[in-house]
Amino acid sequence: MFEEPEWAEEAPVVAALGHGPSRPAAASQTKGSKHSQLLATLRALEAASLPKQLPSLPGSDSEEEIAQKKKHPKKASFASASAEVGGKRKGCQKQAPTESDFEDEEVERKKKSCKKRALLDRDSVEEETRKRKCQKPAPSNRAQHIDNVEQTGPKAQKEHVTNDPHKSSTEATSQPPHSLSRKQWRNRQKNKRRHKNKFRPLLPQGQAPGMAPSEEAEVPPAPRPDSHEARAGALRARMAERLDGARFRYLNEQLYSGPSSAAQRLFQEDPEAFHLYHRGFQNQVKKWPLHPVDRIIKDLRQRPPSLVVADFGCGDCRLASSIRNPVHCFDLAPLDPRVTVCDMAQVPLEDESVDVAVFCLSLMGTNIRDFLEEANRVLKPGGLLKVAEVSSRFEDVRAFLAAVSKLGFKVNSKDITNSHFFLFDFQKTGPPRVGTQTELSGLKLQPCLYKRR
């Protein structure tokens, strides 16, 4: 009945093309609202997921949180968001790219970058945990601990710092410091003291190293070594020593230059002189490399202990104290209760009553022939005569041996290899073969005089 206008027929076509005046406005409004809703949901998801996935500094998170993150990764939120966006996009018609499409692409790029960042942070956390696990455990024994400590010198610390420049301070403080052994601690303290004393000024003379003077505590002055009393005491001791040495040299010269009877009278008048002489003699013996009485003791110990011994010039009876044999001790003055004071040219023994006669550094007077004839008298036939004297006293050893042989002895052995002393062993063959008026020049020995030092 009524004819429709031309614009009514063209309206569906225009609506299909999307260029109509009223429909395009409504479509754009619905599309804008959907787009804004989509952006809001994406932003909410991003805001909810990003703070939880941002990793902390290495070493701050514990291993339990890292393991929990591995077990429950937050991929579901991204998956649900992508699924929701995909469903909404499928609901929408395919249209030409607009500004909203570009915004969607930008949001997608942001999501991908967040995923990559989360993966990188997770890898860094896993690498950090692997480093912690690979660290060396604490040493079980002391030797291993010392080896580890020796490797922690200044060079090793420099290498450690250069190898791990990005190591956090929290990890450095978490590791306990290595404890030093007692020996290493002592060496370190010694090096510190050595370095401290290297630049310390020299201490004044008489001051101890540990007694450095301080302002608060005053150290009392040490006694001066060069005080008047000390010098006087040292001078007295030195003068007394020199005086004793001079008296010893005088007595020694008197004993060698006169007969035994004169020496006996000297010590009877001054008993202290013999003690002084004996002290000086002992001081000289300390300088000798060998004491001849020790050789005689060693030889008599190898012989039967039943042999009777006569010690002419026994001194302190060292021979009688060192062997088991019965010993008759004779000297000019008593230094021991066992000593018989007499002249060695006339001893109170019967004829042929002893087995061994000993003269150890005691042929001192000018009447040496009387001593040897007295030894021949008291010795049994085949008895042993042992003589030890200073080597410098003999001008001709052969002449001495020949003279002793004329007094009824024969030479069994001799030892002239020592630079200080000669030792001879004689055996009694019978009475003397020469008269008392016959002169024996070989028995004249040089006096053993000590020089002034």
Side-chain angles (χ1 to χ4, degrees):
M1 292 175 55
F2 295 98
E3 293 182 0
E4 296 180 356
E6 295 179 357
W7 58 269
E9 295 178 357
E10 294 176 357
V13 180
V14 174
L17 294 174
H19 298 285
S22 60
R23 293 282 181 91
S28 63
Q29 288 178 1
T30 56
K31 188 174 181 181
S33 62
K34 290 179 181 179
H35 183 63
S36 62
Q37 290 177 1
L38 180 61
L39 284 177
T41 55
L42 287 176
R43 285 172 183 169
L45 290 172
E46 185 176 2
S49 61
L50 281 178
K52 293 181 180 180
Q53 290 184 358
L54 284 176
S56 59
L57 292 174
S60 61
D61 291 342
S62 60
E63 297 182 0
E64 296 178 359
E65 294 178 0
I66 294 168
Q68 194 172 4
K69 287 181 181 181
K70 288 182 181 181
K71 292 180 180 179
H72 305 286
K74 295 190 176 182
K75 291 184 179 180
S77 59
F78 291 105
S80 60
S82 61
E84 188 177 355
V85 172
K88 290 182 179 180
R89 283 186 178 179
K90 285 182 182 179
C92 299
Q93 295 180 357
K94 292 182 180 180
Q95 298 176 359
T98 58
E99 293 180 359
S100 60
D101 296 337
F102 288 113
E103 291 179 358
D104 294 341
E105 291 178 0
E106 187 175 357
V107 170
E108 192 71 24
R109 283 197 301 272
K110 287 182 178 179
K111 287 163 62 177
K112 289 181 179 179
S113 64
C114 290
K115 289 181 180 179
K116 289 181 180 179
R117 196 184 307 163
L119 291 174
L120 289 174
D121 294 337
R122 191 179 302 148
D123 293 340
S124 64
V125 171
E126 290 178 358
E127 186 177 357
E128 189 67 27
T129 55
R130 197 183 308 112
K131 285 182 180 179
R132 288 182 182 179
K133 290 179 180 179
C134 291
Q135 286 178 355
K136 292 183 178 181
S140 59
N141 52 2
R142 187 174 179 181
Q144 184 179 359
H145 172 67
I146 291 173
D147 295 339
N148 294 337
V149 171
E150 289 177 354
Q151 294 177 359
T152 57
K155 294 185 178 180
Q157 290 179 358
K158 289 181 181 180
E159 294 178 359
H160 185 66
V161 170
T162 52
N163 292 337
D164 298 335
H166 303 292
K167 189 172 183 179
S168 63
S169 61
T170 57
E171 184 178 358
T173 55
S174 63
Q175 294 181 355
H178 293 287
S179 60
L180 299 176
S181 65
R182 183 176 296 178
K183 184 177 181 181
Q184 290 173 342
W185 184 84
R186 285 201 303 266
N187 291 338
R188 180 172 293 183
Q189 296 298 324
K190 190 187 296 181
N191 292 334
K192 286 182 181 179
R193 289 194 300 270
R194 189 179 300 164
H195 183 72
K196 188 185 296 182
N197 296 333
K198 186 177 181 181
F199 304 100
R200 181 178 293 176
L202 295 175
L203 295 174
Q205 193 175 16
Q207 181 177 350
M211 298 177 61
S214 60
E215 297 180 358
E216 299 178 0
E218 295 184 358
V219 180
R224 297 176 58 187
D226 54 346
S227 62
H228 179 70
E229 293 79 4
R231 283 184 294 175
L235 181 61
R236 284 193 297 268
R238 189 162 57 252
M239 294 302 293
E241 184 179 356
R242 289 183 179 179
L243 182 60
D244 291 345
R247 293 187 66 186
F248 167 74
R249 289 192 296 273
Y250 170 76
L251 292 173
N252 184 73
E253 185 176 356
Q254 292 297 318
L255 293 176
Y256 278 104
S257 59
S260 57
S261 58
Q264 184 181 9
R265 285 193 303 270
L266 173 64
F267 291 132
Q268 285 178 355
E269 295 174 359
D270 187 4
E272 185 63 26
F274 187 80
H275 293 276
L276 189 145
Y277 173 80
H278 187 70
R279 285 198 301 270
F281 177 75
Q282 292 297 329
N283 293 333
Q284 296 295 328
V285 168
K286 293 177 183 178
K287 303 175 185 179
W288 296 345
L290 173 68
H291 200 310
V293 73
D294 295 331
R295 292 281 302 273
I296 297 174
I297 291 170
K298 183 179 178 181
D299 182 57
L300 291 179
R301 282 177 178 175
Q302 298 175 358
R303 298 180 182 273
S306 59
L307 298 179
V308 180
V309 181
D311 189 2
F312 292 80
C314 60
D316 55 356
C317 299
R318 183 175 178 180
L319 178 63
S321 303
S322 304
I323 59 176
R324 296 178 294 172
N325 304 69
V327 181
H328 299 283
C329 303
F330 305 105
D331 212 329
L332 298 175
L335 290 177
D336 191 274
R338 292 172 287 186
V339 177
T340 302
V341 179
C342 65
D343 185 1
M344 289 187 296
Q346 297 175 359
V347 294
L349 290 176
E350 297 181 359
D351 297 345
E352 300 181 356
S353 59
V354 298
D355 300 295
V356 181
V358 177
F359 288 88
C360 183
L361 306 177
S362 57
L363 296 177
M364 302 178 67
T366 55
N367 54 338
I368 297 176
R369 178 174 179 173
D370 297 338
F371 299 159
L372 297 177
E373 288 178 349
E374 185 68 9
N376 186 284
R377 181 185 71 82
V378 299
L379 277 174
K380 296 177 181 179
L384 182 64
L385 173 65
K386 299 181 76 66
V387 176
E389 273 298 333
V390 181
S391 59
S392 60
R393 298 191 65 189
F394 295 94
E395 290 184 352
D396 190 354
V397 177
R398 291 184 179 180
F400 175 76
L401 297 178
V404 175
S405 299
K406 292 179 181 179
L407 296 177
F409 297 98
K410 71 173 183 178
V411 181
N412 280 349
S413 63
K414 62 180 179 179
D415 183 6
I416 57 176
T417 58
N418 193 282
S419 59
H420 288 73
F421 309 102
F422 289 166
L423 289 93
F424 305 98
D425 284 353
F426 301 94
Q427 186 178 6
K428 180 181 177 180
T429 57
R433 293 177 293 176
V434 292
T436 56
Q437 301 297 326
T438 307
E439 184 179 357
L440 299 175
S441 60
L443 296 179
K444 293 182 179 179
L445 302 180
Q446 297 294 325
C448 182
L449 301 178
Y450 295 95
K451 297 180 181 179
R452 183 178 178 180
R453 302 294 180 184

